[in-house]
Amino acid sequence: MAICMESPGQLNVTQAKDAIQLVSNGGSALPEKNAFGNSFRDYEADGGRKDIVEQHYKLSHINQTYDFVKRMREEYKKLDKAEMGIWECCELLNEVVDDSDPDLDEPQIQHLLQSAEAIRKDYPDQDWLHLTALIHDLGKILVLPQFGSLPQWAVVGDTFPVGCAFDESNVHHKYFKENPDFNNPMYNTKNGVYSEGCGLDNVLMSWGHDDYMYMVARENGTTLPSAGLFIIRYHSFYPLHKYGAYSQFMSEEDRENMKWLKVFNKYDLYSKSKVLVDVEEVKPYYESLIAKYFQAKLKW
């Protein structure tokens, strides 16, 4: 894999502190309500999507086992489903609506552009972060027929480690009791099959769009810095970056990259809106970033 010559550690320590300060004391104003008038990530709010979202997490928590994740990783690491460019993949997302998201029911390409444009406004010099925002959810194409027609519980929603105990900070935790791993002594202790400080790279996460897009980017030789790849892989890992669960597995590099993920997360969450971005107007800018950090065609 080609490696960006900037030092990811220096990038994270120095610039992430400034970024966090900007989010806290200025930058884009953060809305208090989502597009449906509820608080963001409120999984108990009454509304048209509540039952859909809860059913999604029930299926996810029952079916995402250690063995299932290993099978999915073996299947999709072949990268034999398609060959196409990044923007072509963005356009495919017009066909996808995320059933796990209580905050938005717009096509996914709008969420990508809303996130990217909000970050671009506040961090005009961090073009790698603009592009990371654009591509972070591209793995959701897994729901489409060409990529296996995976059920949404195997594609979207909050992610969590498998192979260790399911932390109670996971949304709708009660449904894990029906997961075959819940009572398996190999997998139901705090550390399970892992050791403290082993690094998140050595921890199997529930299968979905995050890990898939990380795999696609890495294996196709992206030159995004490590912080960008970390954001792609762990942006749905809310038990960790919201509640600190599973932090015993983090390495020092993980902790540095987490500073950037926490910056990104505010834009990923709070930029969701019914105000749509003019795709054709911003397309040339993002195509230039794609050409900078990726090959013209990628294997998926």
Side-chain angles (χ1 to χ4, degrees):
M1 183 180 92
I3 303 296
C4 181
M5 294 305 292
E6 289 182 287
S7 167
Q10 291 177 352
L11 175 73
N12 293 330
V13 171
T14 305
Q15 295 177 328
K17 287 180 180 177
D18 294 339
I20 292 170
Q21 186 69 20
L22 179 57
V23 170
S24 301
N25 300 319
S28 296
L30 304 181
E32 296 181 359
K33 302 292 183 180
N34 65 17
F36 304 105
N38 300 318
S39 299
F40 284 92
R41 288 182 56 82
D42 185 348
Y43 292 94
E44 302 303 325
D46 290 332
R49 293 183 61 77
K50 178 180 181 293
D51 292 341
I52 294 172
V53 172
E54 182 166 353
Q55 180 65 14
H56 167 89
Y57 279 104
K58 178 179 180 179
L59 293 171
S60 170
H61 293 351
I62 292 172
N63 292 291
Q64 290 272 7
T65 65
Y66 187 80
D67 289 342
F68 171 78
V69 170
K70 291 185 73 173
R71 290 198 306 272
M72 289 296 98
R73 289 182 62 81
E74 285 297 314
E75 171 61 27
Y76 283 94
K77 76 178 184 180
K78 300 172 186 175
L79 299 180
D80 60 357
K81 303 295 185 286
E83 203 168 304
M84 62 180 170
I86 291 287
W87 190 264
E88 187 179 352
C89 186
C90 289
E91 292 178 334
L92 282 180
L93 287 192
N94 278 324
E95 303 174 38
V96 176
V97 173
D98 184 343
D99 281 349
S100 73
D101 191 344
D103 298 323
L104 191 68
D105 60 356
E106 296 292 346
Q108 288 297 299
I109 191 170
Q110 279 298 323
H111 167 52
L112 299 182
L113 288 171
Q114 288 168 350
S115 300
E117 285 293 282
I119 291 174
R120 181 183 176 190
K121 177 182 177 182
D122 287 347
Y123 307 104
D125 298 328
Q126 304 297 331
D127 66 357
W128 67 271
L129 193 55
H130 311 165
L131 183 59
T132 298
L134 179 73
I135 70 173
H136 75 281
D137 275 348
L138 290 188
K140 292 180 180 180
I141 58 172
L142 288 173
V143 304
L144 301 177
Q146 185 177 356
F147 301 90
S149 296
L150 293 186
Q152 290 226 0
W153 62 259
V155 179
V156 297
D158 290 7
T159 57
F160 48 87
V162 294
C164 61
F166 303 115
D167 191 86
E168 291 188 0
S169 63
N170 285 289
V171 64
H172 293 304
H173 177 270
K174 61 187 177 183
Y175 295 118
F176 282 119
K177 293 180 181 179
E178 299 179 58
N179 185 302
D181 291 351
F182 187 83
N183 292 311
N184 187 327
M186 287 184 61
Y187 306 137
N188 67 2
T189 61
K190 182 177 180 179
N191 292 340
V193 299
Y194 312 112
S195 58
E196 293 193 7
C198 64
L200 293 180
D201 193 49
N202 294 306
V203 174
L204 282 185
M205 299 295 295
S206 54
W207 177 252
H209 72 280
D210 312 63
D211 225 18
Y212 177 56
M213 187 58 209
Y214 165 78
M215 188 183 296
V216 169
R218 183 191 65 190
E219 297 303 321
N220 281 280
T222 183
T223 55
L224 284 171
S226 66
L229 290 171
F230 188 90
I231 288 169
I232 292 169
R233 194 174 197 183
Y234 300 112
H235 68 271
S236 301
F237 192 5
Y238 277 89
L240 173 62
H241 53 76
K242 185 174 182 180
Y243 299 106
Y246 307 104
S247 59
Q248 74 270 22
F249 300 135
M250 297 177 74
S251 66
E252 284 306 310
E253 183 178 8
D254 293 333
R255 295 182 190 282
E256 295 303 330
N257 284 332
M258 180 60 71
K259 296 171 184 177
W260 274 112
L261 176 53
K262 288 188 174 182
V263 170
F264 168 83
N265 177 251
K266 292 179 173 62
Y267 294 89
D268 184 27
L269 180 60
Y270 296 111
S271 65
K272 296 172 183 177
S273 170
K274 288 290 187 179
V275 180
L276 304 184
V277 175
D278 185 331
V279 177
E280 292 306 313
E281 180 180 341
V282 301
K283 181 178 177 180
Y285 173 70
Y286 290 102
E287 286 185 319
S288 72
L289 297 189
I290 292 167
K292 179 177 179 180
Y293 290 102
F294 282 94
Q295 303 171 28
K297 295 286 185 179
L298 282 65
K299 294 181 179 180
W300 299 77

